[in-house]
Amino acid sequence: MPFNNIEGETLGYVIAVKESTAIVQPVRRAMAIALLLAVLLSGGLIMLFYRLLGRVERDVLTSRQGLVQTQAELQALNQELETRVQVRTAEVQATSADLQAIIRNLADALLVVDLHGQITRYNPALTEMFELGEQNLMGRNCQEIGQAQLPGLIEQCQAQAEQVLVAEVALAHNHVGQAVITPILVMPDKGQETQQGTAILIRDITQEKEVDRMKTDFISTVSHELRTPLTSVLGFAAIIQDKLEDNVFPQLAADDRKTSRTVRRVRDNINIIVSEAERLTALINDVLDIAKMEAGKLEWRMEPLQVGEVIERAIAAVSSLLDQSELNLVTEIEPDLPKILGDRDRLIQVVINLLSNAIKFTNAGTITCRLIAQADNLHLAVQDTGMGIAPEDVAKVFDKFKQVGETLTDKPKGTGLGLPICKQIVEYHGGKIWVESELGVGSTFQFTLPQPDRPQGGLESPPIANLDSLVRQLESRTPTSPNAPPSEKTILVVDDDPSIRELLRQSLEAQDYQVCEAEDGLEAVDKAKTTNPDLIMLDVMMPKINGFDTAAILKNDPQTMGVPIIMLSIFEDKARGYRLGVDRYFTKPIDSQQLLAEVGGLLSQGQSNKKVLVVDHNASTLATLSQVLQAQGYQVSAAANGPECIEKALSLKPDTIIVDSGMSQQHDLMTTLRFEKGLENVVFILLGEDQKDEQLVKLTGQQLT
């Protein structure tokens, strides 16, 4: 009988054996029983096998049905995946086509190279900019482009993978390109960036530079043209002021209150005119400075200097501003700082600007000027306790023509060029400038200047300690003729602007000089020959013949070459004027007092004394002095020893002899030339530190050290 579980499933069979001893003989009873059991057991096993087999068949069928269903699902998923791949492939192809179209039509040149400098991608603009024709550049080395700068820039980019480089490169047809060099970085699974190559984008900026040049020229021209009317404003205001102070105000009744009040107001009004004209002049100078810096036309005078001395000069220049305020100035200068190579006047201009800004924008408190050595730089900081700068304005302070603050409520205090000029000057010296500020707390403007690579003492001073001092001494030591009264001196004023001529006439006639006028170069040359003036004032920009050409004609004519010339110009081109032989060079607007002082000094000489003999055994000193003096318009001859000095002095008869003090004593040059050779009117200027011979110093005047 079957044996089932509680679920009704047959698990086996129970065999019941009924005693059948009566049927089977006793002898065979055991065997029969065993046989019966075997038959029954076999049949049960067979039935169990078939049951299990059926169950397996059912499971196999069920699994087969599941596999069929899974296969269908996989096919559906595969179809969906293929559809997605096709869509993404189409998108990638479209993007690639767009990218290729962009690269092909890109106005800028594109060059991509691998780490070995092999070209992996480029565009037609590259071949056009460098005139490479239709040749295939793929796989070729970037040096084959024929642009010498690019390989070096690529190497620099690979060495400094964290930086993006910008440089100007030369293109075909003398065009100029701006190259932006960027490293190509990838980040693998490990998360560390590795450089795979370099991408270079080059833009032709020739037209942009031309527009910048035109803009700079326009600003420069307009600024220069403003100098002429400013000269008239300042000059006539000064004349009116002098006339009122000398002739009018003293005649008025001082005890009359109304008259006194009117005098005070007139005096104040004239002072305002003068001060505002001077302020406008300063603003114009700022515009011209930035224009010349952008055009690369600014002349730099690099020399070894102590930055501490620069600070002292700047503080002296702003002392009047400090006196008008209630601020306390603290100076902290680290001792024993090395010299740097820089333009003294321009660095003074930077420090003056920073100090002036600190004073103007600080109502109370302290201004600190600090100079320290820091790593390879000198670090200068100007810290104030003023109003500070808003965070959003900090990045704008060094932008041209930008002034921080609210433009409708805060009155501008300049052109917004002071700090941009400072930035240009500092960056020219290889440093950087920045500001740290907190609104309501104060600001700290600071900049760095690189120290020389050589150790302290390695930065040698030029052969002459102070060339400016030498030139000033040379100008003041020229021989003078017996002073004739001004009424006997005639000055030729040459300018195409009648207002300037009238201004100069009134200024000179007030000193009792005789004045004649010319309105262009041709008339100036003619009057110089017919009137034999004692001095000529010459403008530069004039019709027919400009001032430089006029000066060249006058200085090459034996009849007029000895007449001193003072050049008055709206252009700052002293070097050109001095090369032509002019004696003094003034830039408009003119300081009348300084001009009249120079007129008196030149007239006392009697003629233009420009011949100088330089004597020194040091070839470097001779070369330096000759170069500087020739740039100032002097006719320079050189001698390397005493006998040569005597020979050239007798043949050339110079106006001045600049000589090494040791050599002068060794050869007794002064006594020989002045008392034995008849050159008693020659002025001697000594170079050196030897002060043993006091009589020699007395004979020559102040010794230059």
Side-chain angles (χ1 to χ4, degrees):
M1 56 183 299
F3 175 73
N4 300 329
N5 58 12
I6 60 176
E7 297 176 352
E9 186 178 5
T10 301
L11 299 177
Y13 293 87
V14 177
I15 302 174
V17 180
K18 186 176 182 181
E19 185 175 355
S20 56
T21 55
I23 300 175
V24 182
Q25 297 180 2
V27 178
R28 298 183 180 273
R29 186 178 298 167
M31 183 181 298
I33 292 172
L35 180 62
L36 179 61
L37 291 173
V39 171
L40 292 174
L41 182 60
S42 299
L45 290 175
I46 290 172
M47 293 180 66
L48 180 61
F49 173 76
Y50 277 106
R51 278 204 176 268
L52 291 174
L53 183 61
R55 184 175 181 179
V56 169
E57 288 180 352
R58 289 194 301 271
D59 291 344
V60 170
L61 180 61
T62 303
S63 298
R64 183 177 180 182
Q65 292 174 348
L67 287 173
V68 172
Q69 183 178 357
T70 302
Q71 183 179 9
E73 292 176 354
L74 287 175
Q75 288 177 348
L77 290 174
N78 183 60
Q79 184 65 34
E80 182 181 357
L81 182 60
E82 288 181 353
T83 303
R84 289 183 179 182
V85 169
Q86 290 175 356
V87 172
R88 295 298 297 168
T89 302
E91 292 176 355
V92 170
Q93 290 176 345
T95 302
S96 177
D98 291 344
L99 181 60
Q100 291 294 337
I102 291 172
I103 292 176
R104 284 195 305 268
N105 295 283
L106 193 64
D108 297 337
L110 175 67
L111 176 66
V112 182
V113 300
D114 60 19
L115 294 178
H116 303 290
Q118 305 299 316
I119 298 174
T120 60
R121 185 183 293 274
Y122 68 96
N123 67 344
L126 181 79
T127 59
E128 293 177 7
M129 285 188 185
F130 293 101
E131 281 197 327
L132 299 176
E134 300 296 330
Q135 55 181 310
N136 186 8
L137 301 178
M138 295 295 292
R140 297 170 65 175
N141 194 282
C142 63
Q143 295 181 349
E144 299 182 36
I145 294 178
Q147 215 294 330
Q149 296 169 266
L150 288 181
L153 293 172
I154 292 172
E155 291 180 4
Q156 186 178 353
C157 181
Q158 292 176 355
Q160 303 173 354
E162 71 283 356
Q163 295 185 357
V164 175
L165 304 180
V166 179
E168 288 189 1
V169 296
L171 306 179
H173 303 298
N174 296 321
H175 282 209
V176 180
Q178 184 183 63
V180 179
I181 305 96
T182 308
I184 301 174
L185 303 175
V186 296
M187 183 178 293
D189 296 337
K190 295 182 179 180
Q192 184 177 1
E193 287 185 337
T194 58
Q195 187 173 358
Q196 297 295 312
T198 305
I200 306 172
L201 203 62
I202 305 173
R203 173 170 296 179
D204 190 333
I205 59 172
T206 306
Q207 289 186 349
E208 296 176 17
K209 293 182 74 68
E210 179 64 17
V211 170
D212 285 342
R213 186 194 64 78
M214 293 172 63
K215 177 194 68 176
T216 301
D217 290 346
F218 172 76
I219 292 175
S220 178
T221 300
V222 171
S223 300
H224 279 123
E225 290 300 328
L226 288 175
R227 290 179 178 271
T228 297
L230 269 176
T231 300
S232 297
V233 171
L234 278 170
F236 284 114
I239 290 176
I240 292 172
Q241 191 174 39
D242 291 341
K243 296 293 186 183
L244 290 174
E245 295 289 350
D246 295 341
N247 302 326
V248 178
F249 292 161
Q251 304 298 324
L252 300 177
D255 54 351
D256 183 61
R257 295 181 59 184
K258 186 175 181 180
T259 302
S260 299
R261 185 168 60 253
T262 302
V263 168
R264 185 170 61 254
R265 287 180 177 177
V266 170
R267 183 181 287 118
D268 292 342
N269 291 343
I270 294 177
N271 288 334
I272 290 173
I273 293 174
V274 173
S275 63
E276 289 299 296
E278 291 174 346
R279 188 164 74 96
L280 183 55
T281 301
L283 299 183
I284 291 173
N285 289 337
D286 283 347
V287 173
L288 288 173
D289 276 347
I290 200 73
K292 285 188 290 186
M293 287 179 183
E294 289 183 345
K297 297 179 180 179
L298 190 68
E299 296 182 2
W300 299 90
R301 301 179 60 183
M302 307 299 286
E303 60 178 337
L305 56 86
Q306 290 284 358
V307 181
E309 297 176 1
V310 169
I311 294 175
E312 292 174 0
R313 292 270 301 275
I315 291 174
V318 300
S319 59
S320 60
L321 285 176
L322 278 171
D323 293 341
Q324 298 171 14
S325 67
E326 298 179 356
L327 301 174
N328 182 32
L329 177 63
V330 177
T331 305
E332 300 174 1
I333 301 178
E334 184 178 318
D336 301 323
L337 292 175
K339 289 183 176 181
I340 67 161
L341 191 65
D343 187 313
R344 185 185 308 273
D345 292 336
R346 293 297 174 183
L347 291 177
I348 292 173
Q349 180 181 354
V350 172
V351 182
I352 288 176
N353 190 285
L354 298 184
L355 289 173
S356 299
N357 285 345
I359 295 170
K360 285 189 292 185
F361 295 103
T362 304
N363 295 324
T366 302
I367 295 174
T368 303
C369 185
R370 185 181 299 108
L371 176 64
I372 60 173
Q374 195 175 71
D376 296 330
N377 299 305
L378 295 185
H379 183 273
L380 192 151
V382 176
Q383 182 178 4
D384 64 58
T385 56
M387 63 183 67
I389 303 172
E392 64 271 17
D393 290 331
V394 169
K396 305 175 185 177
V397 296
F398 294 105
D399 293 342
K400 290 179 292 186
F401 303 105
K402 294 282 187 180
Q403 292 185 335
V404 300
E406 175 56 51
T407 57
L408 297 179
T409 58
D410 298 338
K411 181 181 177 181
K413 297 183 179 181
T415 57
L417 289 175
L419 290 174
I421 290 173
C422 292
K423 184 174 184 289
Q424 295 262 15
I425 294 173
V426 170
E427 290 180 350
Y428 181 86
H429 285 79
K432 66 175 184 176
I433 185 170
W434 69 99
V435 60
E436 297 173 358
S437 184
E438 183 176 351
L439 196 61
V441 176
S443 305
T444 302
F445 283 85
Q446 45 203 321
F447 64 90
T448 61
L449 296 171
Q451 298 186 42
D453 295 332
R454 289 171 287 184
Q456 175 69 4
L459 192 62
E460 299 294 339
S461 297
I464 309 303
N466 192 332
L467 293 172
D468 289 338
S469 174
L470 172 62
V471 173
R472 288 194 299 270
Q473 185 174 341
L474 183 60
E475 293 174 352
S476 64
R477 293 287 166 182
T478 51
T480 60
S481 59
N483 288 332
S487 58
E488 298 180 9
K489 299 291 186 180
T490 301
I491 298 176
L492 173 61
V493 175
V494 187
D495 199 300
D496 61 319
D497 191 312
S499 298
I500 299 297
R501 293 202 306 271
E502 180 62 26
L503 170 64
L504 294 174
R505 170 182 285 279
Q506 291 189 26
S507 299
L508 293 171
E509 288 181 345
Q511 304 297 317
D512 293 332
Y513 293 115
Q514 300 296 319
V515 179
C516 59
E517 299 179 15
E519 62 181 23
D520 57 57
L522 288 178
E523 187 179 359
V525 173
D526 180 63
K527 287 195 173 182
K529 293 180 179 181
T530 56
T531 61
N532 295 319
D534 299 285
L535 185 141
I536 299 173
M537 288 186 178
L538 185 61
D539 184 32
V540 171
M541 293 186 64
M542 296 185 298
K544 299 180 181 178
I545 301 179
N546 65 50
F548 290 126
D549 292 341
T550 304
I553 294 173
L554 294 172
K555 286 298 181 181
N556 284 280
D557 189 326
Q559 184 179 348
T560 56
M561 64 188 309
V563 180
I565 296 177
I566 297 179
M567 186 160 278
L568 311 176
S569 175
I570 58 175
F571 293 105
E572 296 180 0
D573 198 355
K574 294 183 179 181
R576 183 178 178 184
Y578 286 139
R579 285 196 301 269
L580 294 172
V582 302
D583 296 82
R584 301 292 185 269
Y585 193 105
F586 282 85
T587 303
K588 297 175 182 178
I590 302 163
D591 185 332
S592 299
Q593 297 301 320
Q594 185 180 359
L595 175 63
L596 292 174
E598 293 292 350
V599 168
L602 290 173
L603 289 175
S604 67
Q605 297 175 15
Q607 63 175 359
S608 181
N609 298 291
K610 307 291 285 187
K611 290 191 293 184
V612 178
L613 175 62
V614 180
V615 187
D616 200 293
H617 59 83
N618 188 308
S620 177
T621 301
L622 284 177
T624 302
L625 277 173
S626 298
Q627 182 179 3
V628 171
L629 295 177
Q630 285 172 354
Q632 297 292 326
Y634 291 94
Q635 302 172 21
V636 182
S637 302
N641 52 57
E644 186 180 4
C645 168
I646 295 173
E647 178 184 352
K648 288 192 174 182
L650 293 176
S651 61
L652 299 174
K653 292 183 172 52
D655 303 299
T656 305
I657 297 177
I658 302 175
V659 59
D660 174 71
S661 60
M663 183 183 296
S664 178
Q665 294 181 59
Q666 179 181 357
H667 297 280
D668 199 12
L669 294 178
M670 282 198 57
T671 302
T672 300
L673 292 173
R674 276 188 166 176
F675 304 115
E676 297 180 10
K677 303 298 183 179
L679 300 179
E680 63 274 4
N681 292 324
V682 175
V683 172
F684 281 77
I685 296 179
L686 300 185
L687 303 178
E689 300 178 352
D690 190 352
Q691 299 182 1
K692 295 178 181 179
D693 191 345
E694 298 294 337
Q695 183 63 29
L696 187 62
V697 176
K698 290 179 181 179
L699 285 172
T700 59
Q702 182 180 359
Q703 184 178 17
L704 183 70
T705 58

